[in-house]
Amino acid sequence: MSVIQVGIIDTTSKLDQELVQSAAAALNLQVIKDLPQFWNIQATVSYLPDAGKIPPGVWPVKLVPKLPPGEGGVHMDKHNQPYSLVIANPGSDEWTIDASHETLEMLVDPYGNRLQSAHAIAIDPNGTITDNAGEFSYLVEACDPCEADNYAYSIQGVAVSDFITPHFYDPTPTPGVRYSFTGAIQAPRRLLPGGYISYVDLATNEWQQILWIDPNQKPIVRDLGPAPAGQSLRVWVDAQMEAYKQKIRHKRALNPALLDRCRKRRTELSRIASLRAKLYT
């Protein structure tokens, strides 16, 4: 199996370059150590210092200051190769979670059309997501069901996204099985507050989503209708989600405790690195 190369590029020229390099190193550990435990993927992540140069064969994750509506997520270049756009601003470190999110989803489903058939789900009158009669084909989005910052974890002082495992689509729960890497998802096809899942109902051929975008409200079902022909399903779903989030104006819930622990961890690692450098002089 060939190794996929991913490159992190700061196009803003305003980010802390030490953090960008640390993020690339943390994502590299995530994709060579954590991701292959569950997904058959071999990849590396590196820091690309020159935003004007992308080496051949590298799938870029471009850190940008803003995006037009519906332009986030993973896209295809003129040669149908994946790339990702992530909003990153110097006022917050949360972009590292988004960069992890988009990197993982790009690796698990590079072209945005991967579907996995499994039992249907529904929302009961109490607002609980339950199994239902029928069969759905789920769009394989590795981070959407657990995308909220509360479920991120730290690698070398960098906050990274939780992600689902293939067991997420199992028919029934099994003791000792992980449905997301951190174990936060505790049963197949369940969402965490702040997440969502997209699927096509095989009985109607219509696309729907179960959304739990606002953790303070119950999840809801949203009808999307038929998917357009000739377009990446992920690009289409991402555009639908961006329009929805703008409409409801839901403010993202950050995880300040995690980000603070990560900053303290990076500061200590930087101090140790400086001390170690003196051993080689």
Side-chain angles (χ1 to χ4, degrees), residues 27-128:
L27 295 187
N28 188 55
L29 285 176
Q30 188 179 34
V31 304
I32 67 174
K33 183 173 70 72
D34 298 347
L35 191 64
Q37 293 184 44
F38 300 97
W39 296 95
N40 187 23
I41 294 167
Q42 294 186 32
T44 63
V45 179
S46 61
Y47 166 66
L48 301 181
D50 188 343
K53 294 182 179 180
I54 300 175
V58 173
W59 294 355
V61 175
K62 302 179 73 173
L63 308 177
V64 299
K66 60 181 180 179
L67 292 169
E71 287 298 316
V74 178
H75 299 273
M76 297 295 128
D77 68 13
K78 294 180 180 179
H79 302 290
N80 291 321
Q81 298 304 297
Y83 71 95
S84 182
L85 302 174
V86 174
I87 295 177
N89 294 301
S92 174
D93 299 345
E94 66 177 318
W95 64 262
T96 66
I97 302 174
D98 296 331
S100 168
H101 178 131
E102 300 302 343
T103 298
L104 296 176
E105 291 197 341
M106 184 166 61
L107 291 172
V108 170
D109 182 13
Y111 303 104
N113 291 309
R114 183 174 181 178
L115 298 177
Q116 176 65 54
S117 293
H119 285 185
I121 55 176
I123 303 173
D124 70 16
N126 296 320
T128 302

Side-chain angles (χ1 to χ4, degrees), residues 4 25 32 48 53 97 116 127 132 201 219 241 250 254 264:
I4 302 169
I32 67 174
L48 301 181
K53 294 182 179 180
I97 302 174
Q116 176 65 54
N132 196 24
D201 185 337
M241 282 304 302
H250 174 64
L254 303 180
K264 290 178 179 177

Side-chain angles (χ1 to χ4, degrees), residues 102-179:
E102 300 302 343
T103 298
L104 296 176
E105 291 197 341
M106 184 166 61
L107 291 172
V108 170
D109 182 13
Y111 303 104
N113 291 309
R114 183 174 181 178
L115 298 177
Q116 176 65 54
S117 293
H119 285 185
I121 55 176
I123 303 173
D124 70 16
N126 296 320
T128 302
I129 298 172
T130 62
D131 288 338
N132 196 24
E135 190 86 353
F136 291 163
S137 280
Y138 295 89
L139 182 61
V140 179
E141 294 276 54
C143 301
D144 290 348
C146 48
E147 72 170 12
D149 286 3
N150 284 345
Y151 308 106
Y153 65 104
S154 174
I155 297 178
Q156 293 188 334
V158 174
V160 298
S161 179
D162 192 11
F163 58 91
I164 63 171
T165 76
H167 293 294
F168 182 79
Y169 303 104
D170 285 357
T172 57
T174 302
V177 169
R178 276 196 281 177
Y179 304 102

